[in-house]
Amino acid sequence: MAWNLDSSRPLYAQIAELVRLDIISGLYQPGTKLPSVRELAAQAKVNPNTMQKALAELERSGLVHSMRTSGRFITEDTDMIQRLKEELAESHIREFLEKMSSMGMTPADTLALIEKILKEER
């Protein structure tokens, strides 16, 4: 995982987003154990308290759960993971469409351009 963090937003929120993305993209499979807080903090080069806060946020969302002495695990709720994936994809698509609209492109123009690019990639 690439830990590209910046100072524009709280680090814990960025970390939570990155771990969430790793979960919905399949890097962390449902039911698998996450590395320890200290391991993840060392990888991300952040204070363990910052990592703890990020993981606590993921626990509150239900994406991660703790087992007292065993560590943290990814939810086994594949429907939840799929729902989060679709919500994130929809958010990115809406953002993209807003940018295209601000450039003066109609939905039809945007769709035609997407189709053109997809044909070129085949």
Side-chain angles (χ1 to χ4, degrees):
M1 165 184 337
W3 298 97
N4 297 322
L5 306 173
D6 62 57
S7 60
S8 66
R9 295 181 311 123
L11 292 177
Y12 81 91
Q14 294 177 64
I15 291 167
E17 285 177 11
L18 290 171
V19 174
R20 186 178 297 116
L21 184 59
D22 285 348
I23 293 168
I24 66 175
S25 70
L27 182 66
Y28 292 123
Q29 293 294 309
T32 60
K33 183 179 179 186
L34 278 172
S36 72
V37 170
R38 290 201 181 281
E39 288 175 67
L40 288 171
Q43 289 173 15
K45 298 181 178 131
V46 297
N47 185 298
N49 292 333
T50 302
M51 185 60 67
Q52 176 67 31
K53 190 171 181 179
L55 295 177
E57 183 176 308
L58 293 173
E59 278 189 58
R60 278 191 296 279
S61 73
L63 200 52
V64 170
H65 65 277
S66 288
M67 297 188 79
R68 260 221 190 297
T69 58
S70 302
R72 285 188 171 89
F73 293 81
I74 306 304
T75 182
E76 293 182 10
D77 186 347
T78 55
D79 290 337
M80 172 195 270
I81 294 170
Q82 183 61 34
R83 202 169 43 254
L84 288 171
K85 182 185 284 191
E86 289 172 7
E87 288 172 7
L88 182 60
E90 185 176 321
S91 171
H92 285 296
I93 291 169
R94 289 186 186 285
E95 184 179 322
F96 168 75
L97 291 174
E98 286 176 21
K99 288 179 181 178
M100 294 300 102
S101 177
S102 71
M103 292 173 35
M105 296 196 59
T106 67
D109 294 337
T110 302
L111 185 56
L113 183 57
I114 291 169
E115 288 172 343
K116 176 185 171 216
I117 291 169
L118 288 174
K119 285 179 186 174
E120 291 171 359
E121 289 189 7
R122 290 183 194 155

